[in-house]
Amino acid sequence: MRQVIRFAGAIGVAVCLAWPAAAEECQFDKAAADASFNQALDAIFLHQGFAWVCAPYIGDGMARSNTANIEMLLRDSGFKPADAIIKASQLDAQAKKGAELHPIGSPDATRQEVIVACSQLMDEQYQKFRVARAEMIKAQCADE
């Protein structure tokens, strides 16, 4: 019985020591949230552009489904759902148009090399997007 009380007491002390850190409130940082949003938007827009550029090699499924990531980011930043859908569609159209103006490829590259390059370019931008989006959410105090 004494061991149970000592164990419960030790847990109580640990909780009390951790309490001040848990009680701190997050302070919304608009400048950091805006900067992170801009970084995330740039990265996901580049990812979308690469997805459209690479569509002749990997299909257009990635580009079509990636619009949801743009919409999610816009919603996270405060866009209303309908506005986020409209803006995401506009950004998708811009990325697609840019891809049409700047096709990817090299006469010396094999199809497999182009696919690998596309994957690396898209992954790099997607990882930047994920980190910047997380930083935006943290700056907004929305992850609590």
Side-chain angles (χ1 to χ4, degrees):
M1 179 73 171
R2 270 186 214 186
Q3 288 178 325
V4 171
I5 293 172
R6 276 191 221 150
F7 180 70
I11 291 176
V13 170
V15 168
C16 288
L17 291 174
W19 192 267
E24 290 180 29
E25 286 192 34
C26 180
Q27 298 294 320
F28 178 78
D29 186 343
K30 181 167 176 31
D34 288 347
S36 294
F37 169 78
N38 289 332
Q39 290 172 349
L41 186 61
D42 288 347
I44 202 63
F45 184 76
L46 285 172
H47 180 277
Q48 187 70 0
F50 289 136
W52 280 117
V53 165
C54 297
Y57 300 93
I58 62 172
D60 66 358
M62 174 73 75
R64 292 187 186 284
S65 66
N66 191 53
T67 305
N69 286 318
I70 299 171
E71 180 186 334
M72 173 181 58
L73 174 66
L74 295 171
R75 283 180 161 196
D76 289 344
S77 71
F79 277 69
K80 292 179 180 176
D83 294 337
I85 292 168
I86 292 167
K87 185 66 176 173
S89 295
Q90 292 169 346
L91 291 169
D92 176 56
Q94 288 177 351
K96 188 174 183 179
K97 184 175 183 177
E100 291 168 354
L101 296 174
H102 305 285
I104 195 169
S106 170
D108 299 332
T110 66
R111 178 177 180 82
Q112 188 61 35
E113 289 170 333
V114 173
I115 291 171
V116 168
C118 284
S119 295
Q120 290 172 341
L121 291 168
M122 287 187 298
D123 185 58
E124 178 184 352
Q125 294 307 317
Y126 188 73
Q127 296 310 320
K128 287 179 184 178
F129 159 74
R130 290 181 62 237
V131 170
R133 178 176 172 261
E135 289 172 352
M136 179 192 77
I137 290 169
K138 188 173 182 179
Q140 292 172 333
C141 303
D143 63 348
E144 297 185 0

